[in-house]
Every structure is written in C-alpha cells, then in structure tokens.
Amino acid sequence: MIYELRVYTAMPGRLPDVLARFRDHTVGIWNRLGIGQLGYWTTAVGPDSNALTYMLVWESLADREAKWGKFVVDPEWVEVRKASEAAGPIVAKMDNSFLAPTSFSPAK
C-alpha cells in the first residue's frame, strides 16, 4: 500500500469552504471512483489552524495515477470545483507526500 498525505492550507477565512467542499462533494466523488480515504483532520493544537490534513490509500503509484487521472477530469468534480471557487480560490497552498510503511508499522 502507498499512503498519500495531503495538507491543504486554506485562503484566510476560507477553511469552512474547503471543509464543505470535501464533506458535501469530494468524499462522495472519491467513493464513486474507488479512491481510498484513511481520514481527515483539522489542527486542534499546532502552528496551522487554517489547514485540512488528510490521507488517501492506494494499492500502488499506478493505481493512484489511474484513479487520480479520472478524478481531475470527472464532470461532477469540475463543476464542484468551479462553483466552490466562484468567489476566488479557497486553497492557498497544497502539499503532498507519498508514504511507504516500514516493516514494523502496524499500517501495511
């Protein structure tokens, strides 16, 4: 398994919009497309309370490439993204990392 750690830093004051887009649309689209999700978090204590952190789970990088490729051109996603950004961008910065579990990790 490959784990993808993604952190979206919202534009000032726009974290509620980022969360709403995920809650109301993105999660459902990903479920439909078979994109595995481990979890979603906001920062309770720490340096960046304006971020959404989440992890996706992939069988392989090839699996990620195929499914993500379908996601970015999905007509529902294209419309959702356009509508959610009608008043301007809601994400200021996005970071992602691909993580491979160690031999001693409970997550395989």
Side-chain angles (χ1 to χ4, degrees):
M1 300 299 290
I2 301 291
Y3 296 86
E4 184 174 2
L5 173 66
R6 298 177 66 93
V7 180
Y8 285 14
T9 303
M11 296 293 287
R14 302 295 304 268
L15 183 59
D17 298 322
V18 173
L19 298 175
R21 182 166 78 184
F22 271 82
R23 179 189 64 240
D24 300 339
H25 304 286
T26 308
V27 169
I29 295 169
W30 286 351
N31 286 336
R32 176 171 47 81
L33 296 175
I35 295 175
Q37 305 142 63
L38 183 63
Y40 300 86
W41 300 268
T42 55
T43 305
V45 177
D48 194 353
S49 61
N50 198 39
L52 170 64
T53 301
Y54 65 98
M55 291 188 79
L56 301 176
V57 182
W58 307 100
E59 291 179 23
S60 64
L61 288 176
D63 177 50
R64 194 261 187 198
E65 198 170 311
K67 290 177 180 174
W68 197 258
K70 290 178 183 176
F71 166 64
V72 296
V73 297
D74 183 85
E76 182 182 358
W77 166 246
V78 171
E79 286 303 312
V80 163
R81 183 174 182 183
K82 182 179 175 182
S84 67
E85 296 180 347
I90 63 175
V91 175
K93 179 182 171 195
M94 191 280 297
D95 294 305
N96 73 318
S97 302
F98 294 94
L99 310 173
T102 62
S103 62
F104 53 87
S105 175
K108 300 290 179 198

